[in-house]
Amino acid sequence: VAYVIKYDPAGEVVNATVSLVLGFVRAAALSLEQEFQITFAQAGGEDVAVHYSGNPAVVTGIARSVDRRDTLSLLHSAEDQDCLQGPHQRSPVLFGVDSVSGCTLRQDSFTLFMSDRCVSSTLEDAANCSLVFQVLLDVLRGPKQAQYVASFGNSPLDYPLDWEAQSCSLPLSLHLQIEWTKYGSLVNPQAQIVSIKEVIQTNTTSLDMLSGGSSSLSVRSSVAFVPVSAAALPGSRATPTINARLPFDFFFPFV
């Protein structure tokens, strides 16, 4: 199901269309997958190639890209997902939803991974360590790492201000910390992303641990949304003053 919502310059919806793709279903089918899409476009304007998530809050796409699938994403937790043996499923980062997921690095997968590349599986080899490091980092970041992140869900591409040692070490986790604040009117504030930080945790003894008796090692990715909005203080009017007019002989006979 694909929805197209058109709006005028005032932000009012003027038209909505829906497209359906129908398919035959067999009674023996164990599972079905449905896909829903929604696109917002200004009426009278040209269709844009870049899809926005809209305001007031970013929903799925908070990266600048022509492809709607190119967005901030994490590894999708799946049963027995191997770090070195793909394909790896990914889930989009949803605004305001903290998530933790990952994969498992195994000794047998490491050996197979090295043999497929016709290289020695010696864990102490610095070149092998560098290769595994880059592969794991690519798995955590995804095949299409987002290079630009917008402050708002509908930030135009032409607004640049809106787009914000040789040791054997392996990345054990990738954590995205996204700070956001409420922007605009207190009645209808928008969610604005103000900063995004990528934190990669490494371990210089990971391969030694993997070859020293432990057959698996957990590698994970996560995201956390941190609100940094300042507390709103309600405004109040100035204290009223007394402007009373008294009779000229009010204090008689004292004055």
Side-chain angles (χ1 to χ4, degrees), residues 181-194:
T181 183
K182 293 181 179 180
Y183 180 88
S185 171
L186 291 176
V187 179
N188 184 27
Q190 301 180 30
Q192 178 189 18
I193 294 177
V194 296

Side-chain angles (χ1 to χ4, degrees), residues 172-184:
L172 296 184
S173 67
L174 180 144
H175 178 70
L176 298 176
Q177 180 174 305
I178 302 176
E179 294 184 345
W180 66 280
T181 183
K182 293 181 179 180
Y183 180 88

Side-chain angles (χ1 to χ4, degrees), residues 53-66:
S53 61
N55 281 338
V58 178
V59 181
T60 57
I62 54 181
R64 188 179 75 175
S65 174
V66 174

Side-chain angles (χ1 to χ4, degrees), residues 131-143:
L131 175 61
V132 176
F133 177 93
Q134 189 60 49
V135 169
L136 288 181
L137 195 58
D138 292 341
V139 169
L140 290 175
R141 287 176 172 172

Side-chain angles (χ1 to χ4, degrees), residues 34 71 120 168:
Q34 293 178 310
T71 181
S120 171
C168 182

Side-chain angles (χ1 to χ4, degrees), residues 105-175:
L105 179 62
R106 295 183 173 85
Q107 170 68 50
D108 53 351
S109 297
F110 173 80
T111 304
L112 180 61
F113 173 81
M114 289 301 181
S115 62
D116 290 342
R117 286 157 179 76
C118 299
V119 295
S120 171
S121 59
T122 303
L123 296 176
E124 288 74 15
D125 192 334
N128 292 349
C129 177
S130 178
L131 175 61
V132 176
F133 177 93
Q134 189 60 49
V135 169
L136 288 181
L137 195 58
D138 292 341
V139 169
L140 290 175
R141 287 176 172 172
K144 297 181 179 180
Q145 182 185 8
Q147 300 296 325
Y148 300 92
V149 176
S151 297
F152 296 102
N154 60 352
S155 295
L157 295 181
D158 54 354
Y159 286 13
L161 296 180
D162 264 10
W163 293 90
E164 299 249 342
Q166 298 299 324
S167 59
C168 182
S169 61
L170 292 179
L172 296 184
S173 67
L174 180 144
H175 178 70

